[in-house]
């Protein structure tokens, strides 16, 4: 292949330019970097294209050159940097470039069923400008435009739709004052379930809600929902820790409370604000819109975490009575004291709908890493130092405790995108799941007053415990049925096979709270 004429520019001062005839070479990137000393008297370490796309590998440079040859256009322009970030306004590649540069798609699913629609959605996301890696976890299933149960790594751009509408949705695990004995028979289980009242109503006054939320208060249109669980797959669940490895600060036999909830309608408002005209909108790093999105994103994440704390407080008021007698008014100081008390009970608090900046890739030396954004849509962050994460199944099936692993097997977290499954993942759509009502002769008690039983749907799991589900919305009972979800044990096994995680414990559900017919007022 003949030489090609290129134009080299200083990234720090793009009015300084020099033409260069680049010969055919195995490593054109190294050749271009070596020109910097003679052309500009700098030691270049980074190469950018106009618009800010960084070329990190010889293959990336060769791809740019190939496209110029194919289209018979003027030779490409390369901007040389001595290590400083790109100077100038960032812009996404053209749609044609994006189509040609789809990033690697990796799906972790040896035995877990993956809906072809979810795979197509994952592949579509991989073609978004700036995308570096798209990972489908074993709980992957279709979403509206993009799938759930996935992690998306991008450079230079943030995609609000890859976080979704429930920004900050996550799970918090608390220790409780209940004893195992109270949940070992059906009468005790029902007594606990019946005590869970008043969780659907607006909590206290506008002023007191503001005191609770502090800096993350969003306005009473949204704040009136703080401390409420919400619909869909959200829940609060009392579980008995059946088994756990030593060294994780827990012991078997304790009763814990797992809460899964998010930012309610506040997160949806943020998403709609930034994607009103384009569901796939890309926000460039450093742009004022991006800065504002990240500010509101952080606010929603904090709001969601404090809402889960308030849900826990309201539940503790129901079941622990005298230990949680609250004053007549919640002032900022009282709220601070309550937050401190709840922190003592809190074992972990994780987000699985968020975007965070980190260095990438995790399996290379620090000086070869670059800052990227990891979008998680129904994916738990798997970070160094994390003791364990909850992996809940569906109602009546266990919540597994999984420890993130970092080894050569998973390339120090690269293969799984520094993320793990956030649950079992749906295997039936909500519409499909509603048809289960015919299977059970429309008798919701089969799924709310649970008894151990083998699944009657191709052996995809089983109810492992006697328990009780508080759910006054009949359709939601069917939508959240055991058969509507994958087998959480299989999901965990797929994570173990790829070296991403290890199961270190198991919790057995006893009382699950979904919704009561108590209207918000």
């Amino acid at each position: 292949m003949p030489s090609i004429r290129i134009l080299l520019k200083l990234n720090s001062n793009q009015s300084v330019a020099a033409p260069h005839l680049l010969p055919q070479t195995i490593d054109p990137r190294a050749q271009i970097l070596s020109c910097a000393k003679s052309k500009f008297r700098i030691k270049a370490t980074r190469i950018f294209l106009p618009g800010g796309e960084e070329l990190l590998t010889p293959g990336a440079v060769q791809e740019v050159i190939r496209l110029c040859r194919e289209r018979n256009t003027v030779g490409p322009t390369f901007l040389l940097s001595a290590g400083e970030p790109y100077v100038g306004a960032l812009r996404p590649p053209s749609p044609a470039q994006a189509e040609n540069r789809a990033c690697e798609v990796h799906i972790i699913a040896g035995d877990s069923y993956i809906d072809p629609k979810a795979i197509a959605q994952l592949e579509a996301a991989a073609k978004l400008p700036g995308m570096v890696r798209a990972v489908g976890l074993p709980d992957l299933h279709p979403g509206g435009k993009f799938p759930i149960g996935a992690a998306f790594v991008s450079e230079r751009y943030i995609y609000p739709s890859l976080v979704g509408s429930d920004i900050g949705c996550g799970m918090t695990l608390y220790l409780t004052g209940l004893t195992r004995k109270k949940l070992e028979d059906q009468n005790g289980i029902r007594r606990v379930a019946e005590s869970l009242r008043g969780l659907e109503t607006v909590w206290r006054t506008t002023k007191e809600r503001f005191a609770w939320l502090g800096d993350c208060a969003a306005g009473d249109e949204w704040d009136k929902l703080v401390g409420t669980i919400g619909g869909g797959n959200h829940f609060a669940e009392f579980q008995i820790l059946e088994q756990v490895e030593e060294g994780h600060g827990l012991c078997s036999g304790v009763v814990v409370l797992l809460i899964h909830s998010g930012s309610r309608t506040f997160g949806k408002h943020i998403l709609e604000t930034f994607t009103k005209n384009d569901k796939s909108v890309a926000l460039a790093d450093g742009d004022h819109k991006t800065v504002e999105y990240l500010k509101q994103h952080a606010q929603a994440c904090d709001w969601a975490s404090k809402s889960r704390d308030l849900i826990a407080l309201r539940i503790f008021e129901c079941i622990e009575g005298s230990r949680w007698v609250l004053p007549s008014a919640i002032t900022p100081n009282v709220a601070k004291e309550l937050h401190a008390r709840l922190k003592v009970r809190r074992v972990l608090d994780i987000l699985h709908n968020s975007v965070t900046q980190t260095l990438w890739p995790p399996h290379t030396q620090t000086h070869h890493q670059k800052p990227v954004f990891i979008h998680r849509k129904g994916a738990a962050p798997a970070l160094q130092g994390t003791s364990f994460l909850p992996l809940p199944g569906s109602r009546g099936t266990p919540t597994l405790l999984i420890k993130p692993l970092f080894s050569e097997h998973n390339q120090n977290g690269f293969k799984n995108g520094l993320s793990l499954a956030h649950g079992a993942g749906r295997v039936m759509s909500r519409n499909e799941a509603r048809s289960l009502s015919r299977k059970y002769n429309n008798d919701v008690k089969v799924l709310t007053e649970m008894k151990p039983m083998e699944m009657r749907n191709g052996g995809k799991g089983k109810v492992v415990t006697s328990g009780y589900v508080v759910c006054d919305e009949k359709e939601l009972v069917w939508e959240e049925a055991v058969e509507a979800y994958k087998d959480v044990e299989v999901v965990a096994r797929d994570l173990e096979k790829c070296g991403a995680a290890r199961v270190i414990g198991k919790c057995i559900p006893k009382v699950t709270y979904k919704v009561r017919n108590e209207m918000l007022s």
Side-chain angles (χ1 to χ4, degrees):
M1 189 177 289
S3 301
I4 185 171
R5 187 169 296 278
I6 63 174
L7 183 65
L8 302 178
K9 288 186 176 184
L10 267 181
N11 174 59
S12 58
N13 183 0
Q14 294 175 21
S15 63
V16 179
H20 179 69
L21 191 64
L22 183 69
Q24 180 181 354
T25 174
I26 295 174
D27 191 347
R29 185 175 184 277
Q31 179 77 20
I32 292 171
L33 290 173
S34 69
C35 292
K37 193 167 185 180
S38 60
K39 300 282 186 183
F40 306 121
R41 297 183 180 178
I42 67 164
K43 184 178 180 180
T45 58
R46 304 173 74 179
I47 301 174
F48 297 100
L49 292 178
E53 182 176 0
E54 186 171 4
L55 305 177
L56 294 159
T57 64
V61 176
Q62 287 170 339
E63 177 68 6
V64 172
I65 293 170
R66 183 187 68 79
L67 288 172
C68 283
R69 291 186 191 280
E70 279 186 4
R71 295 166 185 172
N72 199 26
T73 57
V74 177
T77 297
F78 298 104
L79 283 70
L80 302 180
S81 159
E84 77 278 0
Y86 177 72
V87 176
L90 293 170
R91 68 173 185 265
S94 69
Q97 287 176 310
E99 184 69 25
N100 283 322
R101 295 182 191 172
C103 73
E104 180 186 0
V105 173
H106 183 64
I107 297 176
I108 300 169
D111 297 316
S112 299
Y113 169 76
I114 304 295
D115 190 316
K117 184 179 177 182
I119 297 173
Q121 289 181 337
L122 190 69
E123 291 173 341
K127 294 178 181 178
L128 293 171
M131 201 59 61
V132 174
R133 187 168 179 80
V135 178
L137 297 157
D139 58 335
L140 186 73
H141 58 281
K145 184 176 177 63
F146 298 112
I148 300 160
F152 309 91
V153 184
S154 69
E155 55 179 345
R156 300 175 297 116
Y157 301 101
I158 287 174
Y159 292 91
S161 290
L162 295 184
V163 176
S165 61
D166 201 2
I167 301 168
C169 184
M171 287 178 279
T172 312
L173 187 70
Y174 303 87
L175 297 172
T176 76
L178 288 177
T179 62
R180 178 175 191 149
K181 188 175 181 181
K182 281 193 175 181
L183 296 175
E184 283 187 329
D185 65 82
Q186 205 66 20
N187 289 332
I189 288 170
R190 288 192 74 114
R191 279 194 294 272
V192 170
E194 286 302 316
S195 71
L196 300 176
R197 300 281 175 177
L199 304 180
E200 307 293 336
T201 56
V202 173
W203 185 71
R204 299 215 171 206
T205 67
T206 299
K207 187 176 180 180
E208 289 171 298
R209 293 191 291 275
F210 183 83
W212 182 264
L213 289 166
D215 292 341
C216 67
D220 214 46
E221 179 181 351
W222 301 287
D223 294 347
K224 68 182 181 182
L225 295 175
V226 70
T228 59
I229 293 170
N233 62 347
H234 294 158
F235 62 85
E237 190 167 80
F238 287 103
Q239 306 173 341
I240 295 175
L241 183 56
E242 195 68 29
Q243 58 190 64
V244 64
E245 289 183 2
E246 291 183 4
H248 296 283
L250 293 171
C251 58
S252 60
V254 299
V255 177
V256 294
L257 171 65
L258 181 64
I259 294 176
H260 174 205
S261 186
S263 55
R264 305 292 268 118
T265 56
F266 181 38
K268 182 181 179 183
H269 164 71
I270 295 171
L271 177 67
E272 290 175 347
T273 298
F274 287 88
T275 63
K276 184 163 51 177
N277 299 319
D278 181 5
K279 298 298 182 187
S280 300
V281 65
L283 303 179
D285 187 16
D287 184 84
H288 72 279
K289 285 186 179 179
T290 311
V291 172
E292 184 58 30
Y293 173 78
L294 289 175
K295 178 183 175 182
Q296 293 186 32
H297 168 279
Q299 182 184 3
C301 290
D302 195 16
W303 194 103
S305 182
K306 288 185 175 179
S307 182
R308 288 190 290 275
D309 267 358
L310 185 52
I311 293 166
L313 175 63
R314 299 179 81 174
I315 289 174
F316 290 150
E317 281 187 277
C318 293
I319 65 164
E320 297 184 16
S322 59
R323 296 187 192 180
W324 296 90
V325 177
L326 304 188
S328 57
I330 303 296
T331 64
N333 284 337
V334 170
K336 186 176 179 180
E337 291 172 6
L338 290 171
H339 280 300
R341 287 183 65 189
L342 288 165
K343 187 176 179 180
V344 174
R345 294 284 193 101
R346 194 187 309 132
V347 179
L348 59 82
D349 181 40
I350 62 154
L351 308 178
H352 50 237
N353 284 2
S354 66
V355 57
T356 55
Q357 192 169 42
T358 190
L359 292 176
W360 188 267
H363 60 303
T364 59
Q365 295 179 331
T366 305
H367 64 276
H368 287 145
Q369 293 176 328
K370 59 182 178 179
V372 298
F373 296 100
I374 300 185
H375 306 70
R376 295 183 176 95
K377 194 166 191 251
L383 307 176
Q384 294 278 5
T386 301
S387 180
F388 64 88
L389 296 167
L391 183 68
S394 52
R395 309 294 68 79
T397 60
T399 289
L400 303 179
L401 304 181
I402 55 175
K403 181 178 179 61
L405 299 180
F406 304 88
S407 66
E408 289 185 9
H409 193 182
N410 72 334
Q411 294 182 278
N412 208 37
F414 173 78
K415 284 187 177 180
N416 50 297
L418 293 177
S419 304
L420 294 176
H422 79 309
R426 298 194 71 88
V427 75
M428 299 172 71
S429 71
R430 293 192 176 274
N431 280 335
E432 291 170 335
R434 290 186 200 116
S435 67
L436 292 171
S437 60
R438 295 192 296 273
K439 173 179 175 180
Y440 293 108
N441 297 318
N442 211 32
D443 182 8
V444 295
K445 287 186 177 181
V446 176
L447 297 180
T448 57
E449 299 178 15
M450 297 179 298
K451 296 177 181 178
M453 65 176 182
E454 292 294 328
M455 289 296 299
R456 287 176 270 168
N457 189 26
K460 290 183 179 177
K462 60 183 178 181
V463 173
V464 297
T465 180
S466 296
Y468 194 88
V469 177
V470 178
C471 186
D472 288 348
E473 293 182 8
K474 185 176 282 192
E475 283 198 343
L476 189 58
V477 172
W478 307 123
E479 290 173 12
E480 293 293 297
V482 184
E483 294 98 321
Y485 284 83
K486 304 178 189 183
D487 186 339
V488 70
E489 306 267 7
V490 175
V491 168
R493 194 159 60 240
D494 279 341
L495 291 172
E496 288 184 315
K497 283 180 182 176
C498 80
R502 178 169 57 85
V503 176
I504 61 101
K506 179 185 290 190
C507 296
I508 303 300
K510 288 297 180 178
V511 177
T512 305
Y513 184 97
K514 298 288 290 182
V515 63
R516 280 198 195 277
N517 287 332
E518 298 171 336
M519 299 299 293
L520 284 167
S521 57

